[in-house]
Amino acid sequence: MKDRVTLTTLRKKKERGEKIVMLTCYDFPTARLLDQAGVDLLLVGDSLGDNVLGYSTTLPVTMDEIIHHTKAVRRGVERAMIVADMPFLSYQVSPERALLNAGRLMKETGVEAVKLEGGAAVAPTVAKIVGAGIPVMGHVGFTPQSVHQLGGYRLQGQTAEAAARLRTDLEALADAGCFAVVLELIPPELAADLSRESPVPTIGIGAGPGCDGQVQVLHDLIGLYPDRVFRHAKRYTEAGRAIQEAAKLYAEEVRAGTFMAD
């Protein structure tokens, strides 16, 4: 097994121009597979809400749910660095409350870092958490926890004013101590510019190839939901249809009395 991925690993990758690979992960067997595949970062995202728990958005996800799934992922990983999302209202109330929740997340799961959404407005909260020795990943552009405020899943940073705000947000997060920042649903040219300017690695999703790394929801890449198609996600296989077909064949054999008949 190769050396564990650390903050130093990520910093050196950016310095050398090596791309960073990040995927979402919510359970033990998937964690083992992705870790053995050489993925650098595993994100236990609040996207578990609409990918695993059946919620329509990420907003209902609780700290207890994030902790439960992060513990499972932790048990399956030897090399990759694990980042856990801080769910809605776990960090927005106050920097002090955010620190307590981030500390609980780390103490109870053994995760290496936490992630939270927002730009300059959350920089004091980031500084508070980082000051206590907890690594923080930022997230700007489209922020799913603000989906209703943003008017749905829309490309961000399309005007000069919006692009300037993103640049300010990224600078504020880096200054506050974020070790990396996710750029979601912003124009590729802008993402590439921000990535060149940023002193910390950028991880893109729907932001083009110019970022320092990429993150995707695993379920989108493997087609676990056959009817879900996103323009920013490439479908590498059809796991959902394969599972359906396997279950249908099993059911047919059981009903016919041929399952394990030999």
Side-chain angles (χ1 to χ4, degrees):
M1 181 62 65
K2 295 182 180 179
D3 293 338
R4 294 193 70 117
V5 176
T6 66
L7 301 188
T8 300
T9 308
L10 302 179
R11 184 171 60 251
K12 288 183 177 179
K13 279 182 174 292
K14 179 175 175 66
E15 291 172 355
R16 294 193 294 257
E18 298 176 7
K19 297 294 187 180
I20 298 166
V21 181
M22 185 173 184
L23 280 172
T24 62
C25 186
Y26 315 107
D27 58 57
F28 171 78
T30 305
R32 290 188 66 195
L33 293 171
L34 298 184
D35 190 45
Q36 291 168 6
V39 176
D40 300 313
L41 293 166
L42 298 184
L43 173 65
V44 187
D46 57 5
S47 52
L48 76 90
D50 50 352
N51 285 281
V52 175
L53 302 180
Y55 302 144
S56 60
T57 69
T58 66
L59 298 177
V61 175
T62 66
M63 280 290 294
D64 286 341
E65 288 168 337
I66 287 285
I67 287 171
H68 174 80
H69 286 267
T70 304
K71 283 181 176 180
V73 171
R74 173 75 280 165
R75 289 190 285 267
V77 171
E78 294 182 7
R79 173 189 172 272
M81 180 176 174
I82 306 173
V83 181
D85 260 339
M86 296 190 67
F88 183 59
L89 287 187
S90 68
Y91 61 92
Q92 292 96 333
V93 176
S94 69
E96 291 73 24
R97 179 75 62 84
L99 175 57
L100 289 174
N101 283 325
R104 180 191 171 201
L105 194 49
M106 290 198 77
K107 282 171 67 70
E108 294 187 23
T109 68
V111 73
E112 285 91 353
V114 301
K115 182 174 79 65
L116 51 79
E117 298 177 5
V122 301
T125 298
V126 170
K128 183 83 171 179
I129 298 172
V130 172
I134 301 173
V136 176
M137 176 179 284
H139 187 152
V140 298
F142 175 76
T143 46
Q145 291 178 14
S146 303
V147 60
H148 299 308
Q149 185 181 50
L150 296 173
Y153 294 84
R154 298 184 176 187
L155 190 69
Q156 305 296 305
Q158 298 186 73
T159 67
E161 181 181 1
R165 283 198 301 270
L166 281 173
R167 183 168 275 104
T168 298
D169 285 339
L170 182 54
E171 291 174 353
L173 291 176
D175 289 344
C178 280
F179 69 88
V181 179
V182 171
L183 306 180
E184 181 166 0
L185 292 183
I186 67 174
E189 299 81 4
L190 175 60
D193 288 343
L194 293 175
S195 299
R196 283 191 292 269
E197 299 166 5
S198 175
V200 300
T202 61
I203 312 293
I205 176 168
C211 299
D212 297 309
Q214 297 290 328
V215 60
Q216 288 286 312
V217 173
L218 176 67
H219 295 51
D220 299 337
L221 298 191
I222 65 174
L224 199 59
Y225 294 100
D227 56 342
R228 286 191 194 177
V229 179
F230 297 101
R231 285 182 293 177
H232 64 265
K234 181 177 179 179
R235 187 74 62 84
Y236 288 89
T237 189
E238 294 292 344
R241 298 193 192 283
I243 292 171
Q244 279 183 330
E245 185 61 25
K248 285 172 61 178
L249 291 173
Y250 166 69
E252 289 171 3
E253 291 185 7
V254 170
R255 289 169 183 144
T258 60
F259 177 73
M260 298 295 288
D262 57 352

